[in-house]
Amino acid sequence: MSKSLRATHFYSLLVHAWMRQTIRRLTQVLRQSRLMAGVIGSFVAGYWVFFTWLFYRGILFLQWSIPALGDLLISRMFYLLFAFIFVMLITSSVVVGYGVFFKNRETSWLQTMPVPHAWLFRWKFVEMAVLASWAFLFLSGPVLLAYGMTSRVSPLFLAGAVVIYLPFSLLA
């Protein structure tokens, strides 16, 4: 078996185990407390609805109340928002990376396996990137959705924004 095929098999096993653990955790939370899961789900939905509406109204206000400078102010505010989120993402990546690479019992166990350390590093890097960047998607999603609604762009705008999120989060 070639080295790339073995690496693909190794990563697919890790992804499969990670997915099973995630599904078990979610079903366990649902079994233990449906009320808590309902409150968390309604908070997430309420956050997205409220802040999408709030940003939508704010962007419309800037576009209509200051016709000459509204678009310039909006672009500068996006610049500042993504700069602050980028700093937050760097900080989150450092903290989560320390926990994933050094303080995780799974990492110690995976190092005993007969696989190259580069494979383990790549897996832990992807795990760290996912854990550190979910908040970036959660916090900036309503802003981009509201901007897309006010600018009347196609739904491909949001798909393109999600594609751009990957290199942005990996850069941090």
Side-chain angles (χ1 to χ4, degrees):
M1 187 175 343
S2 71
K3 190 173 184 174
S4 63
L5 189 59
R6 285 185 299 172
T8 305
H9 182 65
F10 175 71
Y11 293 135
S12 67
L13 285 174
L14 289 175
V15 167
H16 181 70
W18 183 82
M19 299 253 312
R20 287 185 66 184
Q21 285 178 343
T22 304
I23 290 170
R24 277 202 185 128
R25 284 185 195 131
L26 289 175
T27 55
Q28 187 178 22
V29 166
L30 285 174
R31 269 193 239 132
Q32 284 180 351
S33 178
R34 290 191 186 272
L35 177 63
M36 183 178 72
V39 167
I40 291 171
S42 54
F43 170 76
V44 168
Y47 171 84
W48 270 72
V49 168
F50 176 73
F51 279 102
T52 301
W53 173 80
L54 189 69
F55 287 124
Y56 177 79
R57 298 291 299 163
I59 291 170
L60 281 180
F61 175 76
L62 286 175
Q63 285 178 338
W64 292 103
S65 67
I66 313 170
L69 295 175
D71 289 333
L72 179 65
L73 283 174
I74 291 169
S75 69
R76 294 297 176 205
M77 286 190 322
F78 269 108
Y79 173 76
L80 284 174
L81 173 74
F82 280 98
F84 286 130
I85 288 178
F86 188 70
V87 170
M88 181 195 76
L89 193 57
I90 289 173
T91 306
S92 176
S93 296
V94 168
V95 170
V96 171
Y98 177 72
V100 165
F101 284 114
F102 300 110
K103 291 292 185 180
N104 194 345
R105 288 186 305 172
E106 180 191 19
T107 305
S108 300
W109 179 76
L110 285 172
Q111 286 177 340
T112 63
M113 297 181 72
V115 295
H117 290 289
W119 293 3
L120 297 176
F121 175 78
R122 284 186 201 113
W123 170 253
K124 288 299 179 180
F125 180 79
V126 168
E127 184 180 4
M128 183 260 319
V130 167
L131 290 174
S133 63
W134 71 267
F136 169 58
L137 289 169
F138 182 73
L139 293 173
S140 64
V143 177
L144 288 178
L145 184 61
Y147 182 73
M149 289 167 42
T150 57
S151 301
R152 292 184 173 79
V153 295
S154 74
L156 292 177
F157 168 77
L158 295 175
V162 170
V163 169
I164 295 297
Y165 274 17
L166 182 64
F168 187 79
S169 63
L170 288 180
L171 186 61

